[in-house]
Amino acid sequence: MQLVVARIGRAHGIKGEVTVEVRTDEPELRLGPGAVLTTDPAANGPLTIEAGRVHSGRLLLRFEGVRDRTAAEALRNTLLIADVDPAELPEDPEEFYDHQLIDLDVVLADGTEIGRITEISHLPSQDLFIVERPDGSEVMIPFVEEIVTEIDLEGQRAVITPPPGLIDDSQAVVASARDDEAAEQENEA
């Protein structure tokens, strides 16, 4: 099975290093020196990691055969893909690979069906489940502990406790500073 583990960003310096957006919880395992990664687009690879280091909080990689800024810049936006045994699981029991989560049923704690996970969107601040509802509409659910309370791989389901308005817009509570000020002014009058 193939997993996207990083996306190449811009070139760093003049010796062929690139910044990478890490998309794995195990960068030391997947992005270490000697790792051979396939790429998307395929014409840019395969790439073998020669060296890596952290600089100002960002991972920098250098690949065999990429020796200057021009060659490094040509790799920008390339996805790095690792071959992984489908039976392999992350070391931490609270971590999951995307392929484990895709197609899980999403239900409320009381068993009410919400939909099925069709995609995982990896954002800088958090991951999102893209859930297809039975009517064909989609809802985005933040993959955070406060909302996704259980991942049951054997039962093929994700249990959620969404805040009001996340699933049903009619339950949304709109709060703003203006509303608070208006309420205070009415109470003072």
Side-chain angles (χ1 to χ4, degrees):
M1 165 179 291
Q2 296 190 321
L3 296 177
V4 174
V5 294
R7 183 183 65 81
I8 297 176
R10 61 184 182 211
H12 178 83
I14 60 171
K15 296 184 180 181
E17 284 184 312
V18 294
T19 62
V20 293
E21 172 189 312
V22 177
R23 294 190 181 175
T24 177
D25 290 332
E26 303 168 315
E28 63 284 344
L29 177 66
R30 308 276 180 228
L31 299 171
V36 179
L37 304 166
T38 56
T39 61
D40 181 10
N44 289 347
L47 294 172
T48 302
I49 297 175
E50 185 175 281
R53 65 185 177 104
V54 176
H55 175 72
S56 298
R58 294 195 56 91
L59 179 61
L60 301 178
L61 295 179
R62 188 171 56 245
F63 300 101
E64 289 181 6
V66 178
R67 296 284 170 237
D68 60 31
R69 185 175 186 86
T70 303
E73 194 61 42
L75 296 173
R76 191 173 195 160
N77 292 322
T78 298
L79 296 177
L80 299 175
I81 303 164
D83 286 317
V84 177
D85 180 351
E88 182 181 327
L89 299 176
E91 291 178 16
D92 184 343
E94 296 297 315
E95 293 177 4
F96 303 94
Y97 293 135
D98 287 5
H99 72 273
Q100 294 175 290
L101 301 172
I102 299 291
D103 288 332
L104 290 185
D105 293 323
V106 178
V107 298
L108 297 178
D110 66 7
T112 303
E113 181 184 348
I114 300 301
R116 177 179 63 82
I117 299 173
T118 57
E119 183 181 341
I120 315 267
S121 181
H122 300 281
L123 303 175
S125 59
Q126 68 192 15
D127 296 334
L128 289 175
F129 290 160
I130 310 300
V131 177
E132 184 176 320
R133 313 250 346 225
D135 66 4
S137 64
E138 288 185 340
V139 63
M140 291 183 271
I141 299 175
F143 187 20
V144 294
E145 189 175 353
E146 296 80 21
I147 296 174
V148 180
T149 58
E150 178 185 358
I151 297 292
D152 178 3
L153 295 178
E154 288 184 23
Q156 287 292 292
R157 66 188 195 135
V159 179
I160 64 169
T161 55
L166 183 65
I167 304 298
D168 184 355
D169 291 342
S170 67
Q171 297 175 352
V173 176
V174 178
S176 76
R178 289 185 200 169
D179 293 340
D180 292 342
E181 289 172 12
E184 285 179 23
Q185 288 175 356
E186 285 181 22
N187 290 338
E188 291 175 1

